[in-house]
Amino acid sequence: MTAVSEASTETSLAQLLDLSGQVALVTGAGQGVGATIARYLAAQGAAVAVNDYRAERAESVAGQIRADGGTAIAVPADVTDYPAVRSAVERVSGELGPVSILVNNAGNAGAGPRAGRRGPFWESEPADWEPFLAVNLHGVLACCRAVLPGMVHSGHGRLITVISDAGRVGEAGMEAYSAAKAGAAGLMRALARSVGRHQVTANCVAIGLTDTPTLAAVTGDPELTRKVLSNYLIRRVGRPSDAAAVVTLLASPAGSWITGQTYPVNGGFSVSQ
C-alpha cells in the first residue's frame, strides 16, 4: 500500500466517527454516564443539548463542552413530563437545529425518587413501581415521540437508549426497574422496524456495574466491591467511557447499518450467543 493510499484510508476511518453537522440530545446528562456521552459526541463534532432535571448540572456539563471548544446548550427538563420534553426539543431545534441523535440516558428512579427498598416483589405496591416505569419507559416513549417527526422528515436519525443488564437478564428485588428497561429495549426494536425505511436507526446499550455518583455505596466499600465484581469476567467496575464509546459508534456513520440491537457493555456479567 502506498503512502497516499494509506493516508486516504486513515482519513476515511476518521470520517466513520465524524458527527459534524449532527445535533444530539442526551437526557440525564448532568453527571455520570450521560455527561461522558455528551462530551464524547461533542468531541466528534456534534452540537449537544445537555438535558438533566437539575438545571445547574446540565449547565455545568454544557459549559465544560464549550470550554473544550465544542457546541452545547443546557436544556433542563423532566423526561417524564411530555409537554416539557416537547418544549425542550423545540428549543434545541431553534438554537442548534433539528435533533438527529437522541440518547435516552435518563434512568433509575428519575427526579425526586421515592425512598427505595429492595424486597420481595409480592410485598411491593404500584406506588413503588411507578417512579421506575415513569423515567425508564414512559420517559423514553416521550423523548422518542418528540424527536421522531423531525428525523422522519429529514430521512436521518439515531435513537439510542441506555438500559441495564437488569433489562436483559433480570435482577431480583428490582422487578419494576428490570421490566421498565426491558420495555425500553422492546420499544427500540419496534421503532427499528417502523422507522428504518426513513434511515432512522434504533438501538440499546445495556450497561453493567458502572462507576457513577449513584454507585458510591458499592464502590466505596472495597469488600462489597470485590464480592460484586466476582460476577464479572473482567474484574473491574465499568467506566462511563465504556458506554460512551459504544454510544458514539452507534451515533456515527459507522453505525448506519445497525438497528434493532442491544449491545451489552457489562464486563462479562452476562454472556449470550
Side-chain angles (χ1 to χ4, degrees):
M1 183 179 286
T2 66
V4 172
S5 59
E6 286 176 357
S8 176
T9 300
E10 290 175 0
T11 299
S12 63
L13 288 174
Q15 289 173 340
L16 283 175
L17 296 178
D18 184 19
L19 297 177
S20 299
Q22 303 300 311
V23 176
L25 170 60
V26 186
T27 70
Q31 62 180 0
V33 172
T36 303
I37 290 171
R39 289 194 290 267
Y40 267 50
L41 298 181
Q44 295 302 322
V48 180
V50 180
N51 163 264
D52 198 277
Y53 67 86
R54 293 186 179 175
E56 68 276 11
R57 293 199 310 212
E59 183 52 52
S60 176
V61 174
Q64 292 170 14
I65 291 172
R66 292 193 295 268
D68 290 337
T71 300
I73 62 171
V75 283
D78 181 348
V79 297
T80 67
D81 181 345
Y82 181 57
V85 169
R86 290 192 62 176
S87 294
V89 170
E90 289 172 0
R91 182 185 164 202
V92 175
S93 296
E95 296 190 26
L96 300 178
V99 175
S100 55
I101 300 167
L102 169 66
V103 182
N104 292 302
N105 171 75
N108 201 12
R114 291 163 49 90
R117 61 179 178 83
R118 292 186 65 155
F121 176 73
W122 53 92
E123 293 179 0
S124 67
E125 300 293 337
D128 298 317
W129 318 331
E130 183 53 34
F132 297 102
L133 295 171
V135 68
N136 297 290
L137 181 55
H138 298 162
V140 176
L141 284 161
C143 291
C144 289
R145 171 63 180 85
V147 304
L148 268 172
M151 292 181 177
V152 169
H153 177 73
S154 67
H156 172 77
R158 300 282 190 270
L159 303 173
I160 305 165
T161 298
V162 178
I163 65 167
S164 164
D165 247 22
R168 294 181 62 245
V169 299
E171 183 72 22
M174 300 182 67
E175 289 81 3
Y177 177 77
S178 299
K181 289 297 191 182
L187 171 64
M188 290 298 102
R189 291 191 293 270
L191 286 175
R193 292 184 178 277
S194 62
V195 299
R197 66 183 182 277
H198 300 290
Q199 305 304 308
V200 178
T201 66
N203 295 287
C204 289
V205 174
I207 62 176
L209 187 73
T210 302
D211 190 10
T212 64
T214 58
L215 204 67
V218 174
T219 56
D221 183 334
E223 179 57 27
L224 180 57
T225 299
R226 184 197 64 77
K227 182 178 179 181
V228 171
L229 288 181
S230 68
N231 297 309
Y232 286 77
L233 300 182
I234 301 175
R235 284 180 166 78
R236 69 165 173 84
V237 174
R239 306 180 184 107
S241 58
D242 295 323
V246 179
V247 169
T248 302
L249 170 68
L250 292 172
S252 74
S256 63
W257 212 48
I258 301 172
T259 196
Q261 307 302 314
T262 295
Y263 282 80
V265 181
N266 63 11
F269 175 76
S270 65
V271 294
S272 61
Q273 292 183 339

